[in-house]
Amino acid sequence: MDLIDFKLDNYDYATFLILLLVVIAFFYAMVTLGGLPGKLAEKRKHPHAESVKLGGWIGLFTVFPWIHALIWAYHDSLTIDIRRLPKDMRDKLDDDHDGEEATEPGAIQTTLSDIEVTDIPPQAPKTGPAS
């Protein structure tokens, strides 16, 4: 007794081949879509590119986190160079970040979450030579 009760012909083999190609194309699309937010973030030099990449892979099958990672890949994180802040605010932030290595000697970069937005003084408009 055979597993199937009819003889396979060329159409059956073509069906199996097409089914195999569809499965391979599906997995290729999933791998491409899962890595898309991370690749975009790396290309745009996003400061949290590894987190965006991880969010893209985790959210692949749940869709909403994947969309969030894709949006996050295009979001420019605001980084403030504290060398442009008033001296008292720089000292306050230097005390908060003691023991951490800075990216450059004497320069500590921080994000808006570390300081209050109201603490940032408005910058005076730049005046150039009159034309």
Side-chain angles (χ1 to χ4, degrees), residues 33-35 37-38 51-61 65-66 69:
L33 288 175
S51 299
V52 172
K53 184 187 300 185
L54 187 61
W57 282 111
I58 290 173
L60 183 61
F61 293 109
W66 183 86

Side-chain angles (χ1 to χ4, degrees), residues 1-72:
M1 179 174 196
D2 292 328
L3 192 56
I4 53 175
D5 60 350
F6 58 91
K7 186 152 177 79
L8 295 176
D9 61 356
N10 290 337
Y11 290 113
D12 295 321
Y13 291 118
T15 303
F16 292 142
L17 179 64
I18 290 171
L19 182 62
L20 179 67
L21 291 176
V22 166
V23 169
I24 290 172
F26 173 76
F27 281 110
Y28 179 77
M30 289 293 106
V31 168
T32 302
L33 288 175
L36 182 64
K39 287 181 182 179
L40 288 172
E42 287 175 352
K43 183 178 180 183
R44 295 174 52 88
K45 295 180 178 34
H46 195 283
H48 306 286
E50 288 296 317
S51 299
V52 172
K53 184 187 300 185
L54 187 61
W57 282 111
I58 290 173
L60 183 61
F61 293 109
T62 52
V63 181
F64 180 74
W66 183 86
I67 293 171
H68 183 261
L70 187 64
I71 293 170
W72 190 16

Side-chain angles (χ1 to χ4, degrees), residues 73-92:
Y74 279 102
H75 175 71
D76 292 329
S77 291
L78 180 61
T79 302
I80 298 174
D81 187 0
I82 67 166
R83 292 175 289 185
R84 303 182 124 193
L85 294 176
K87 180 145 179 49
D88 59 333
M89 287 180 63
R90 279 186 287 181
D91 294 339
K92 178 180 141 188

Side-chain angles (χ1 to χ4, degrees), residues 93-94 96-103 107-109 114:
L93 289 173
D94 282 339
D96 292 344
H97 291 285
D98 281 344
E100 296 179 17
E101 290 187 26
T103 56
I108 296 177
Q109 293 183 347
D114 293 336

